[in-house]
Amino acid sequence: MDNNHKIENIVTGSTNSHADFTPLSRNVLSFVACDPNQKWLIRKQLLSLLQNYPSFNLSNDTFTHNDGTAVNLFKVSGCFHVSQSTPPIHFTLWLHENYPSMAPMAFIVSSNSMYPIRQNHPFVSPCGTITTPYLQTWSYPGYNLNDLVHNLVQIFSHDHPLIYYSTESSFTRTSLVSKREALDRFSGMLHYDMGALQARTEEETEALLTIQVELKNRARVIRNIVSGLDDERKKLKETVVELAGKADVLTNWLKVNGDPKAIGVILGDRVEDAFEAIDAESKAELEGSAADEAIEDVIYALDKALERGVVSFDSYIRQPVNISQRWPMTFRRKSGEVLAELRRSSGVPAVIR
């Protein structure tokens, strides 16, 4: 029995039709029996579809919804080519029990393992479910089966749903298209752009996670260093307390048994007071050396002040040069005279330099 006779038997509900379609006439049409106009609308759309695509087959079968409900529905199955260089696309079209108010359900059937369904197609899920903008925006009476299949052919001619040796998308090619085709192309381009953005986001996330791991490692190292420094600080405090105790013990011992001058230095007196010449000559030598060192320190300080610009060059020439040329020589001369006088009075021969 050809498709036209099948449709006639389905719509008229004839019980003399072929045995294979008796359940279809008895069960499938039960949801449109209450509205004769919808019967003829379905008949008209199915006839138009099968006339444009004679290779399609019409039948009835049990369809199971996602909630587990099983119903007998019209099923149109077949294949179509979008170009001579691409493999044929096998698909199945189910008419919803509330059709035409509800959109039909379309699926890609990949019966050939050589051409599996693509994993990242914008309008076909990996399991074969078709979700084009035409189906998602289905609106009766402006939409029909014939335009649906034509829309699928247009979409799949730009972006084939099966994997083959030269699969590529042509959604980005510019050309004059209808509003419907423009929406399909925009949806496809948006899908691929979102995929690329997601891939970049995942890469950036992986990079940030790597940085996060590195920062955690560095934070752990820093915590270990800080902990080590804290332990060292505690040990240094303990050492300071211990040395302070020992210093107190030593100070107390010096107060009882030590030299008063040494004790005075410990308690804050001048360091020079801790040193005492054994005789007049040693005292003169000590004072002369101290005076010479003091002059040298003054000259060094003036040199540094000149380098930093604290004193002017003229002032440096007038004052520090005179000091560096006269005072050290005067101190050395006076010191030498005192030493010579001391040697003569003690009967020690003078030292000639």
Side-chain angles (χ1 to χ4, degrees):
M1 184 181 298
D2 59 22
N3 287 325
N4 290 341
H5 287 91
K6 293 177 184 177
I7 296 173
E8 292 293 339
N9 290 332
I10 291 170
V11 174
T12 59
S14 174
T15 57
N16 296 324
S17 61
H18 194 276
D20 291 342
F21 288 86
T22 300
L24 184 64
S25 61
R26 185 170 60 248
N27 299 324
V28 178
L29 284 178
S30 61
F31 65 89
V32 295
C34 61
D35 190 349
N37 292 330
Q38 289 188 358
K39 280 187 180 181
W40 294 104
L41 174 65
I42 295 174
R43 175 184 181 276
K44 180 180 178 181
Q45 290 193 10
L46 288 174
L47 280 175
S48 176
L49 178 64
L50 296 175
Q51 287 173 358
N52 289 326
Y53 300 94
S55 62
F56 290 178
N57 293 315
L58 175 65
S59 63
N60 75 302
D61 205 344
T62 301
F63 181 85
T64 303
H65 288 284
N66 293 333
D67 60 0
T69 305
V71 292
N72 288 326
L73 300 178
F74 291 157
K75 180 176 73 171
V76 177
S77 58
C79 68
F80 56 85
H81 288 80
V82 296
S83 70
Q84 296 295 327
S85 60
T86 59
I89 300 173
H90 296 264
F91 88 111
T92 300
L93 193 66
W94 297 83
L95 269 64
H96 196 277
E97 56 263 36
N98 294 323
Y99 184 86
S101 298
M102 296 293 293
M105 296 158 289
F107 300 90
I108 296 293
V109 180
S110 180
S111 58
N112 190 340
S113 60
M114 292 181 60
Y115 305 116
I117 298 175
R118 286 171 50 193
Q119 298 297 311
N120 64 335
H121 196 278
F123 305 123
V124 182
S125 68
C127 63
T129 304
I130 301 175
T131 54
T132 62
Y134 193 94
L135 289 170
Q136 293 176 330
T137 60
W138 181 274
S139 177
Y140 172 76
Y143 289 51
N144 58 72
L145 298 177
N146 201 54
D147 289 346
L148 169 61
V149 176
H150 177 72
N151 178 253
L152 293 178
V153 173
Q154 290 294 325
I155 289 177
F156 295 151
S157 65
H158 292 291
D159 198 358
H160 205 280
L162 303 179
I163 298 176
Y164 63 101
Y165 68 93
S166 62
T167 298
E168 61 177 347
S169 172
S170 60
F171 278 127
T172 56
R173 298 175 186 173
T174 58
S175 60
L176 295 176
V177 295
S178 65
K179 181 178 179 180
R180 170 59 56 188
E181 290 176 311
L183 178 60
D184 294 337
R185 290 192 178 190
F186 177 76
S187 300
M189 293 170 62
L190 183 61
H191 171 82
Y192 288 114
D193 289 343
M194 290 178 62
L197 178 61
Q198 183 178 4
R200 288 196 300 269
T201 303
E202 290 176 354
E203 291 178 359
E204 292 176 358
T205 302
E206 289 294 331
L208 291 176
L209 288 175
T210 302
I211 295 174
Q212 184 182 27
V213 172
E214 178 64 24
L215 291 176
K216 287 183 177 179
N217 293 334
R218 293 184 181 182
R220 185 171 59 255
V221 172
I222 292 174
R223 284 195 298 269
N224 293 335
I225 293 174
V226 171
S227 178
L229 291 175
D230 188 59
D231 293 339
E232 185 175 354
R233 181 176 59 85
K234 292 179 181 178
K235 292 180 180 178
L236 290 175
K237 283 186 176 181
E238 294 174 357
T239 303
V240 169
V241 172
E242 182 181 357
L243 292 176
K246 292 180 178 180
D248 291 338
V249 173
L250 180 59
T251 301
N252 293 331
W253 185 89
L254 288 174
K255 287 180 179 179
V256 176
N257 305 301
D259 185 9
K261 291 186 177 181
I263 296 173
V265 173
I266 294 175
L267 298 178
D269 293 342
R270 294 191 311 161
V271 177
E272 291 81 354
D273 295 339
F275 299 93
E276 183 178 1
I278 59 175
D279 53 22
E281 181 180 358
S282 299
K283 184 177 180 180
E285 182 70 23
L286 184 62
E287 291 177 353
S289 298
D292 290 345
E293 293 295 333
I295 295 299
E296 294 291 341
D297 292 341
V298 171
I299 295 174
Y300 178 80
L302 288 173
D303 289 341
K304 289 298 181 181
L306 179 64
E307 291 178 2
R308 294 193 298 266
V310 177
V311 297
S312 65
F313 184 76
D314 293 339
S315 177
Y316 177 82
I317 291 298
R318 287 194 303 269
Q319 301 298 331
V321 171
N322 294 332
I323 294 174
S324 65
Q325 290 180 352
R326 291 201 302 268
W327 284 98
M329 295 175 64
T330 302
F331 273 102
R332 290 192 182 95
R333 184 172 61 253
K334 291 183 178 295
S335 298
E337 293 174 354
V338 171
L339 289 174
E341 180 63 26
L342 291 173
R343 288 191 179 97
R344 282 195 299 270
S345 62
S346 61
V348 178
V351 178
I352 300 176
R353 296 184 178 181

